[in-house]
């Protein structure tokens, strides 16, 4: 055991094997913690997903709201034999805290909760509200997570001014990268039809794998953006899977169909209908007999830098003596749902070099720094006048 409330809380959360979609007692731990601080707490169940919405305020001025968002679910640890320590032990060794979720993102959850605790106990009077939105489904489909809570809050005319997302944004050093937007995500499942037959008699068949190769080459060479985006990285496509109906892997069968999963990460200079149009043009140009199913999982979001961005940059500078870079790289984030509410959103979390990997860990010094930076952000937002 150690005597740091921050490390103890982080360990307690890591010791819950809350692999998506399970939540174990993470929400209970967080509810108890916030209850003791006098937060108003509401648990929102949507089907099997448990979400927590909580806020604390001084009576004087409730107008300004600073919200922290995060998630308690983690990805599967994978092969347990490969881990140096059991993934749900929360073991400390050589100044690191080890386990699944240390970086993504139970370390950040503990850091924001302890920062809130310190702030509230040190300041009996402040301006506005301090709020938490914590879901148990971010790593899975997320359909009953943050998005549903936000819909509920919008229906109630709740207002959020500033939001910190605790996702691991940092790269080489804690706080070197903060994020204020992400590209959108669109998936195409393409089925290309051929004619099944014997590989020794190709004249009687149409091999859909052979037919699709030139089209794929074109797809990968396409420039999708009509001009360079000033806000986001370029639109890009990755083929994430290719498979056929040749399920028993026979080496003498030309398959009937080949199926491709393609994921597009798209920016503000590339509308969805353009991606669909170009893709169809390529496949038609190669006279393929095909079918495509589209699935949009996220629109791009961009949060215009304002007061919160300045506060976050200054807080990082205060502790780290460097200025963070503002980026919109990486996968989608629940920040997009909060941006919908008109809030200024900044993502700031741990270093991301071990996320979702075997032997995920966080340096204890990073965990402590993250907590100090979060606390300074709360102070700079809620102790100042507009
Ligand atoms: Zn995460």
């Amino acid at each position: 055991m150690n005597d740091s409330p921050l490390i103890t809380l982080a360990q307690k959360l890591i010791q819950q094997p809350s692999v998506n979609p399970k939540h174990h007692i993470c929400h209970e731990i967080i509810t108890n913690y916030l209850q003791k601080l006098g937060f108003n707490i509401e648990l929102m169940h949507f089907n099997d997903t448990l979400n927590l919405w909580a806020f604390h305020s001084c009576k004087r001025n409730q107008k300004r709201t600073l919200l922290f968002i995060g998630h308690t679910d983690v990805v599967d640890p994978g092969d347990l034999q490969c881990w140096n320590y059991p993934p749900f032990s929360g073991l400390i060794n050589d100044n690191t805290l080890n386990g699944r979720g240390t970086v993504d993102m139970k370390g950040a959850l503990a850091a924001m909760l302890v920062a809130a605790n310190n702030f509230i106990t040190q300041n009996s009077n402040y301006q506005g509200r301090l709020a938490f939105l914590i879901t148990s489904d971010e790593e899975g489909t997320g359909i009953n997570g943050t998005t549903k809570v936000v819909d509920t809050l919008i229906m109630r005319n709740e207002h959020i001014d500033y939001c910190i997302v605790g996702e691991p944004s940092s790269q080489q050093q804690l706080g070197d990268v903060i994020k204020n937007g992400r590209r959108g995500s669109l998936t195409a499942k393409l089925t290309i039809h051929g004619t099944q037959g014997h590989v020794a008699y190709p004249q009687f068949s149409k091999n859909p794998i052979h037919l699709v190769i030139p089209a794929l080459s074109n797809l990968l060479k396409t420039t999708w953006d009509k001009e360079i985006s000033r806000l986001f990285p370029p639109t890009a496509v990755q083929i994430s899977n290719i498979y056929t109906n040749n399920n028993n892997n026979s080496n003498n069968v030309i398959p009937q169909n080949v199926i491709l999963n393609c994921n597009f990460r798209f920016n503000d200079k590339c509308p969805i209908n353009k991606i669909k149009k170009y893709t169809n043009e390529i496949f038609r140009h190669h006279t393929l007999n095909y079918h495509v199913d589209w699935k949009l999982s996220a629109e791009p979001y961009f949060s215009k830098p304002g007061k919160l961005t300045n506060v976050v940059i200054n807080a990082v500078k205060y502790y780290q003596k460097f200025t963070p870079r503002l980026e919109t790289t990486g996968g989608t984030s629940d920040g997009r749902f909060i941006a919908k509410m008109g809030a200024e959103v900044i993502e700031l979390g741990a270093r991301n070099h071990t996320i979702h990997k075997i032997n995920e860990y966080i340096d204890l010094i990073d965990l402590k720094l993250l907590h100090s930076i979060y606390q300074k952000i709360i102070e700079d937002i809620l102790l100042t006048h507009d």
Side-chain angles (χ1 to χ4, degrees):
M1 278 303 284
N2 68 84
D3 55 3
S4 155
L6 171 62
I7 296 170
T8 306
L9 180 59
Q11 281 180 310
K12 245 169 132 179
L13 292 170
I14 290 155
Q15 284 159 0
Q16 308 308 314
S18 54
V19 175
N20 181 278
K22 298 192 187 91
H23 44 75
H24 285 264
I25 59 158
C26 288
H27 275 68
E28 222 171 289
I29 295 168
I30 294 169
T31 303
N32 289 340
Y33 193 90
L34 292 175
Q35 227 151 25
K36 283 187 195 139
L37 293 173
F39 271 76
N40 289 285
I41 296 167
E42 187 181 351
L43 292 175
M44 296 191 193
H45 287 265
F46 297 110
N47 293 323
D48 58 348
T49 302
L50 182 58
N51 305 285
L52 176 144
W53 159 248
F55 64 87
H56 185 278
S57 63
C58 293
K59 294 278 179 294
R60 268 176 5 120
N61 175 354
Q62 300 194 6
K63 277 186 190 149
R64 189 188 313 168
T65 300
L66 169 63
L67 169 71
F68 281 85
I69 71 166
H71 61 89
T72 57
D73 57 323
V74 296
V75 296
D76 193 90
D79 187 352
L80 299 181
Q81 305 294 324
C82 297
W83 283 76
N84 294 337
Y85 313 104
F88 301 107
S89 62
L91 211 109
I92 291 172
N93 185 39
D94 202 15
N95 291 316
T96 62
L97 174 59
N98 296 270
R100 175 57 81 229
T102 44
V103 173
D104 187 7
M105 56 165 280
K106 289 174 173 176
L109 283 180
M112 54 179 75
L113 289 164
V114 174
N117 183 338
N118 293 348
F119 174 77
I120 287 168
T121 48
Q122 289 163 18
N123 300 283
S124 54
N125 218 343
Y126 64 87
Q127 305 276 320
R129 295 193 305 176
L130 181 57
F132 284 90
L133 193 175
I134 297 169
T135 183
S136 62
D137 185 14
E138 197 273 345
E139 301 289 6
T141 62
I143 47 173
N144 293 308
T146 307
T147 180
K148 288 252 170 93
V149 178
V150 164
D151 288 346
T152 308
L153 297 180
I154 289 173
M155 276 195 320
R156 293 179 190 170
N157 287 322
E158 278 282 1
H159 187 73
I160 308 291
D161 302 272
Y162 308 110
C163 172
I164 298 286
V165 186
E167 290 289 348
S169 63
S170 305
Q171 292 177 5
Q172 312 292 331
Q173 287 171 282
L174 186 89
D176 60 354
V177 175
I178 59 174
K179 300 191 179 187
N180 65 330
R182 300 294 180 105
R183 288 174 298 178
S185 172
L186 176 71
T187 300
K189 183 182 174 189
L190 286 140
T191 305
I192 294 94
H193 307 288
T195 308
Q196 187 163 325
H198 196 298
V199 294
Y201 303 94
Q203 66 272 34
F204 304 128
S205 308
K206 263 190 186 170
N207 189 330
I209 300 175
H210 294 192
L211 294 173
V212 81
I213 288 171
L216 289 187
S217 168
N218 270 21
L219 190 80
L220 297 178
K221 274 190 254 169
T222 301
T223 303
W224 301 91
D225 302 333
K226 60 176 185 289
E227 57 186 286
I228 292 171
S229 170
R230 286 189 298 117
L231 309 178
F232 298 97
T235 300
V237 61
Q238 286 290 316
I239 300 167
S240 60
N241 207 350
I242 302 183
Y243 50 101
T244 73
N245 66 313
N246 185 358
N247 293 330
N248 50 8
N249 262 330
S250 310
N251 61 5
N252 59 358
V253 175
I254 290 170
Q256 177 75 13
N257 298 318
V258 61
I259 298 127
L260 311 170
N261 293 342
C262 303
N263 181 263
F264 296 83
R265 294 299 158 119
F266 64 99
N267 65 31
D268 56 326
K269 298 296 176 192
C270 185
I272 295 166
N273 55 17
K274 200 173 137 190
I275 296 177
K276 292 182 177 176
K277 185 171 167 259
Y278 279 18
T279 305
N280 279 311
E281 277 172 13
I282 290 168
F283 280 75
R284 273 192 220 119
H285 174 77
H286 290 273
T287 60
L288 295 171
N289 177 10
Y290 73 98
H291 172 81
V292 57
D293 288 312
W294 294 97
K295 188 172 167 268
L296 174 69
S297 20
E299 296 270 7
Y301 93 87
F302 180 79
S303 177
K304 201 165 156 256
K307 178 176 173 165
L308 180 66
T309 311
N310 287 333
V311 162
V312 172
I313 289 173
N314 284 333
V316 172
K317 258 171 141 175
Y318 181 83
Y319 284 101
Q320 293 286 60
K321 315 293 175 216
F322 58 70
T323 304
R325 293 197 308 278
L326 195 54
E327 290 188 1
T328 56
T329 54
T332 58
S333 142
D334 275 2
R336 69 188 190 274
F337 303 121
I338 312 294
K340 216 167 69 173
M341 295 182 77
E344 185 183 348
V345 179
I346 287 286
E347 300 179 28
L348 165 65
R351 290 195 296 137
N352 55 24
H353 63 305
T354 62
I355 48 170
H356 296 198
K357 285 187 174 175
I358 304 277
N359 295 324
E360 182 178 347
Y361 74 90
I362 187 167
D363 289 324
L364 291 181
I365 192 163
D366 278 5
L367 183 63
K368 288 175 191 161
L369 261 170
L370 188 61
H371 138 266
S372 302
I373 292 171
Y374 283 158
Q375 191 177 338
K376 180 151 174 59
I377 293 167
I378 302 173
E379 289 165 359
D380 291 352
I381 292 286
L382 296 182
L383 291 180
T384 54
H385 292 273
D386 282 326

